[in-house]
């Protein structure tokens, strides 16, 4: 019986091998630019398209070589051990067996690595312009760095007032005998100019006065690119615009000045959001949020929130609620100073205590530096709290004073930077407490260490220290004491279960707390991630760190990353249990745990 070999149909399967060059960065760049690899499974091809793809890749490989300074390098692609200009190559591909796939070999010879011999600028420029290139003689002659230097030079010229400066594409002259490159930049700097008329387009419901407050540049001032960008960012930071763009004039006006236009797009004035969360200790919660972002035309916010909480949960005894109204007035009395006025009503039914309360707050916060914000306020409250069978009515006035350092890059998913928040809150007890005045002191901090520039591997750390002075533990209202356990302190333990307990096992609360967390976050693929964490904490009945047993929780979690933040699922176990602390806890919510 005659066996007829099976030939591959169009398209033809293939494998790709790239020989190592000895330069790891070049090897990775060759792999990343190779469409024979990236399109192998997604877009199978026949003989003609395969050869065309290989020819295009040879050009990409030469671009990669030049970008890293290898100007005499060579790149060759062989298909079935035949060069691409072999006339019989197409028949070889078409009549190759279906299995095994046809073999494609890629060989790249980098040659000598060129270095920059001289850098020159052709044109009338300031004497220190060469420094703005940020290139040095004898540096590797990387095409990408040489091109970036052109952009840096043009930006620097604009920063120094030469708004209409033009820097042509760099010209390189190869010196093969010495493996060097002479690079020159032709510049037409023009003259230094001043700002002309400043216009804002796109205003509708936002008052022009709000924009005027945040524009700190004026006609006639020297043109400086960074000042224009800073003003653009300040307008964006007001929160009333979805986008702010700048358009710099292409020519001087009749006064030989350069006009600048800010083009704004206002955000929707109203927004509504719904939220939900679940944890085994606090059960399910559902919340709604309504916001007016620009109540009176000057960026004022009016926020209304309402939620149902404690639906189920092993640390709750009934369903709770919270309702709140919050008014925010930016630039109150002066720029970068914000007035917050809020009123809220809450009900909590916890194993720790039952509480019905009405809370108010007037807070003045001020941005001190790009990273530091200070705040001071007054917060009256009226509450009824039942703990261990005893009910008390409390009328309190708190005077919170705080500082906050925040250099993080995201609210819901920070991957770099730190947050440090020290606060001191004197509390005057008008009724309900045996002590008239006590002071709550706290220091919380978190930091995020990005192991890769894309934030895919992040080590996150957090800590909390708290102490209360001026009152005995049982003289304090139960809701002002410290409790440990739960997603904000030590995961794996029931909410507020760590610390001193009554005879029935319910928490008493303490006068001091110390907690610490280490968490590793790893992104997987585009939308998924995993975490591993360990939390530790203690709640002391009296002095900070002087008493109280340390409790440790550990767990793992999963993340699904969306456009508005990561969805979080954490599972945690108590390493050293205490009575009534539970055997495990599960937490589901939006955003990272901290």
């Amino acid at each position: 019986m005659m066996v007829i070999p099976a030939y591959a149909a169009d398209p033809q399967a293939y494998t790709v091998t790239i020989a190592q060059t000895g330069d790891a960065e070049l090897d990775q760049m060759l792999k990343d630019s190779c469409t024979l690899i990236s399109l192998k499974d997604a877009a199978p091809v026949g003989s003609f398209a395969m050869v065309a793809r290989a020819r295009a890749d040879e050009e990409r490989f030469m671009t990669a070589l030049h970008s890293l300074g290898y100007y005499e390098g060579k790149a060759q692609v062989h298909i079935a051990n035949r060069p691409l200009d072999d006339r019989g190559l197409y028949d070889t591909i078409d009549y190759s067996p279906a299995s095994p796939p046809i073999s494609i070999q890629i060989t790249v010879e980098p040659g000598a690595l060129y270095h920059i011999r001289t850098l020159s600028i052709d044109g009338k420029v300031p004497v220190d312009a060469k420094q703005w290139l940020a290139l040095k003689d004898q540096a590797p002659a990387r095409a990408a760095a040489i091109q970036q230097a052109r952009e840096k030079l043009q930006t620097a010229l604009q920063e120094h007032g030469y708004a209409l400066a033009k820097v042509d594409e760099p010209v390189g002259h190869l010196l093969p005998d010495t493996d060097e490159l002479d690079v020159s930049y032709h510049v037409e700097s023009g003259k230094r100019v001043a700002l002309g008329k400043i216009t804002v387009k796109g205003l509708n419901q936002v008052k022009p006065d709000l924009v005027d407050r945040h524009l700190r540049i004026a006609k006639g001032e020297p043109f400086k690119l960074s000042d224009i960008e800073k003003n653009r960012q300040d307008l964006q930071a007001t929160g009333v615009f979805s986008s702010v763009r700048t358009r710099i004039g292409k020519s001087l006006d009749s006064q030989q000045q350069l006009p600048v236009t800010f083009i704004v797009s206002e955000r929707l004035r109203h927004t509504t959001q719904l939220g939900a969360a679940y944890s085994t200790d606090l059960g399910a919660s559902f919340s709604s949020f309504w916001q007016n972002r620009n109540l009176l035309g000057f960026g004022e916010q009016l926020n209304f929130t309402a939620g149902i909480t404690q639906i189920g949960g092993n640390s709750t005894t009934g369903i709770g609620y919270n309702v709140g109204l919050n008014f925010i007035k930016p630039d109150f009395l002066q720029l970068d100073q914000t007035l917050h006025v809020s009123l809220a009503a809450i009900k909590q039914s916890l194993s720790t205590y039952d509480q019905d309360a009405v809370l108010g707050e007037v807070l003045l916060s001020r941005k001190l530096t790009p990273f530091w914000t200070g705040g001071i306020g007054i917060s009256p409250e009226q509450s009824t709290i039942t703990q261990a069978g005893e009910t008390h009515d409390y009328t309190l006035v708190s005077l919170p004073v705080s500082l906050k350092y925040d250099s993080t890059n995201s609210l819901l998913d920070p991957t770099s930077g730190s947050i440090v928040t020290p606060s001191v809150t004197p509390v005057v007890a008008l009724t309900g407490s045996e002590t008239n005045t006590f002071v709550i002191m706290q220091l919380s901090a978190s930091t995020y260490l990005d192991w890769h520039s894309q934030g895919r591997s992040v080590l996150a750390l957090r800590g909390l220290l708290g102490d209360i002075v001026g009152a005995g533990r049982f003289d304090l209202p139960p809701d002002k004491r410290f409790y440990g356990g739960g997603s904000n302190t030590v995961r794996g333990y029931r909410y507020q279960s760590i610390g001193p307990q009554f005879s029935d096992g319910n928490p008493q609360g303490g006068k001091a707390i110390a907690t610490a967390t280490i968490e590793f976050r790893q992104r997987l693929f585009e939308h998924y991630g995993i975490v591993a964490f360990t939390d530790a904490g203690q709640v002391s009945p009296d002095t900070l760190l002087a008493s109280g047993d340390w409790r440790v929780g550990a767990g793992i979690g999963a993340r699904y990353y969306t456009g508005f933040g990561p969805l979080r699922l954490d599972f945690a176990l108590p390493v050293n249990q205490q009575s009534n602390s539970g055997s495990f806890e599960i937490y589901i919510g939006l955003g990272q745990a901290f």
Side-chain angles (χ1 to χ4, degrees):
M1 180 178 179
M2 181 180 295
V3 178
I4 301 176
Y7 295 105
D10 187 8
Q12 167 71 55
Y14 63 85
T15 60
V16 181
T17 302
I18 303 180
Q20 298 292 307
T21 64
D23 184 328
E25 186 177 3
L26 176 60
D27 290 339
Q28 187 62 48
M29 188 174 292
L30 295 173
K31 182 180 178 181
D32 292 343
S33 63
C34 182
T35 60
L36 285 167
I37 293 177
S38 62
L39 300 178
K40 181 170 70 72
D41 298 322
V45 290
S47 58
F48 285 95
M50 185 186 299
V51 173
R53 185 177 289 177
R55 293 187 189 280
D57 274 353
E58 283 187 336
E59 296 180 4
R60 291 187 179 90
F61 298 151
M62 293 304 298
T63 299
L65 286 165
H66 292 172
S67 70
L68 294 183
Y70 297 104
Y71 291 93
E72 291 184 341
K74 298 179 181 179
Q76 287 186 322
V77 178
H78 287 75
I79 301 177
N81 294 315
R82 290 174 175 264
L84 300 184
D85 57 0
D86 190 318
R87 293 186 177 182
L89 180 57
Y90 298 102
D91 287 342
T92 299
I93 297 172
D94 289 335
Y95 291 101
S96 291
S99 182
I102 198 166
S103 175
I104 299 179
Q105 305 89 27
I106 298 171
T107 304
V108 176
E109 298 177 4
L113 175 62
Y114 273 65
H115 290 76
I116 296 174
R117 188 182 73 162
T118 60
L119 288 168
S120 61
I121 299 176
D122 175 21
K124 187 177 180 181
V125 294
V127 293
D128 53 354
K130 188 175 178 180
Q131 299 178 7
W132 303 339
L133 292 169
L135 277 179
K136 295 182 178 180
D137 295 344
Q138 296 306 312
R142 298 185 172 212
I146 293 170
Q147 180 62 35
Q148 289 171 4
R150 168 188 172 271
E151 297 168 0
K152 291 177 181 177
L153 176 58
Q154 179 147 336
T155 299
L157 286 166
Q158 292 175 329
E159 179 68 8
H160 286 76
Y162 299 93
L164 301 179
K166 294 182 180 179
V167 181
D168 293 343
E169 292 291 328
V171 176
H173 177 63
L174 291 174
L175 304 169
D177 293 341
T178 57
D179 299 328
E180 292 177 314
L181 182 70
D182 289 337
V183 183
S184 64
Y185 298 86
H186 177 70
V187 179
E188 295 180 5
S189 62
K191 64 178 183 179
R192 300 181 69 177
V193 299
L195 290 171
K197 183 179 180 180
I198 298 172
T199 307
V200 180
K201 293 184 177 181
L203 293 180
N204 183 14
Q205 295 177 324
V206 175
K207 302 291 186 182
D209 284 352
L210 181 146
V211 175
D212 292 342
R213 292 176 187 174
H214 288 268
L215 284 180
R216 306 182 191 186
I217 53 176
K219 180 180 178 180
E221 292 181 352
F223 181 95
K224 192 174 183 181
L225 194 63
S226 60
D227 286 347
I228 297 173
E229 173 59 17
K230 185 179 186 304
N231 279 261
R232 187 199 69 79
Q233 293 176 2
D234 287 347
L235 287 178
Q236 186 77 65
T238 61
V240 296
F241 302 118
S242 59
S243 67
V244 180
R245 297 180 290 116
T246 55
R247 186 171 64 201
I248 299 172
K250 296 182 179 179
S251 59
L252 302 179
D253 59 19
S254 59
Q255 298 177 319
Q256 298 300 296
Q257 296 176 331
L258 196 65
V260 176
T261 301
F262 292 88
I263 304 171
V264 302
S265 178
E266 294 183 3
R267 300 176 71 185
L268 293 175
R269 196 165 191 174
H270 302 98
T271 182
T272 302
Q273 299 176 13
L274 298 175
Y278 173 80
S279 63
T280 46
D281 53 2
L282 290 177
S285 64
F286 299 93
S287 62
S288 62
F289 174 80
W290 177 89
Q291 180 184 63
N292 186 317
R293 295 191 179 103
N294 189 29
L295 183 66
L296 303 175
F298 291 93
E300 301 91 348
Q301 293 182 24
L302 183 64
N303 306 315
F304 176 75
T305 58
I308 300 175
T309 60
Q310 302 154 206
I311 305 174
N314 54 40
S315 298
T316 68
T317 59
I319 295 177
Y321 65 80
N322 59 70
V323 180
L325 191 64
N326 174 243
F327 173 75
I328 301 174
K329 172 65 176 175
D331 300 328
F332 179 70
L333 301 181
Q334 58 181 305
L335 283 175
D336 296 327
Q337 186 164 277
T338 304
L339 175 68
H340 307 256
V341 180
S342 61
L343 182 65
I346 64 171
K347 176 180 176 60
Q348 298 187 88
S349 297
L350 305 169
S351 301
T352 315
Y353 52 78
D354 292 337
Q355 179 185 32
D356 291 278
V358 177
L359 315 170
E361 183 175 59
V362 178
L363 176 68
L364 194 64
S365 65
R366 177 164 178 77
K367 197 170 186 65
L368 305 174
T369 72
F371 295 137
W372 281 100
T373 302
I376 184 170
I378 180 170
S379 303
E381 62 182 275
Q382 176 67 50
S383 62
T384 299
I385 302 177
T386 300
Q387 185 182 56
E390 295 186 7
T391 300
H392 295 274
D393 292 325
Y394 296 93
T395 302
L396 308 176
V397 177
S398 302
L399 303 170
V401 179
S402 66
L403 282 173
K404 183 176 182 179
Y405 173 86
D406 188 348
S407 62
T408 57
N409 59 349
S410 172
L411 176 64
L412 294 177
D413 185 24
T415 59
S416 64
S418 302
I419 300 175
V420 180
T421 307
S423 66
V424 177
T425 306
V427 182
V428 178
L430 302 180
T431 64
S433 176
E434 296 297 328
T435 303
N436 291 334
T437 304
F438 55 92
V439 180
I440 303 172
M441 298 177 292
Q442 294 188 79
L443 174 63
S444 63
S446 60
T447 189
Y448 309 89
L449 307 175
D450 184 1
W451 288 12
H452 297 283
S453 59
Q454 295 81 16
R456 297 187 63 84
S457 301
V458 176
L459 183 66
L461 309 172
R462 72 173 173 183
L464 169 67
L465 293 174
D467 196 12
I468 302 175
V469 297
R473 178 158 52 106
F474 292 110
D475 295 330
L476 295 168
D479 67 317
K480 300 304 180 187
R481 303 171 198 161
F482 289 117
Y483 302 86
S487 62
N488 290 328
T489 51
V490 183
R491 286 165 286 186
Y493 294 80
R494 289 179 178 176
Y495 181 64
Q496 297 184 334
S497 65
I498 295 176
Q501 297 180 343
F502 293 105
S503 58
D504 60 2
N506 285 330
Q508 295 177 350
K511 287 183 58 180
I513 188 172
T515 69
T517 293
I518 179 170
E519 179 170 291
F520 181 71
R521 302 167 182 171
Q522 177 63 54
R523 289 285 292 264
L524 300 175
F525 311 109
E526 183 176 359
H527 296 293
Y528 297 92
I530 57 174
V531 303
F533 55 85
T534 299
D535 300 339
Q538 67 157 214
V539 175
S540 303
D542 38 51
T543 306
L544 177 64
L545 299 177
S547 57
D549 295 328
W550 282 90
R551 302 297 175 184
V552 178
I556 57 175
R559 303 289 184 268
Y560 179 77
Y561 291 88
T562 69
F564 50 84
L567 298 177
R568 169 170 49 94
L569 170 62
D570 286 340
F571 174 82
L573 299 170
V575 175
N576 53 338
Q577 292 187 355
Q578 71 171 33
S579 62
N580 227 20
S581 65
S583 56
F584 70 90
E585 298 295 338
I586 295 174
Y587 310 91
I588 300 173
L590 174 64
Q592 298 286 5
F594 62 95

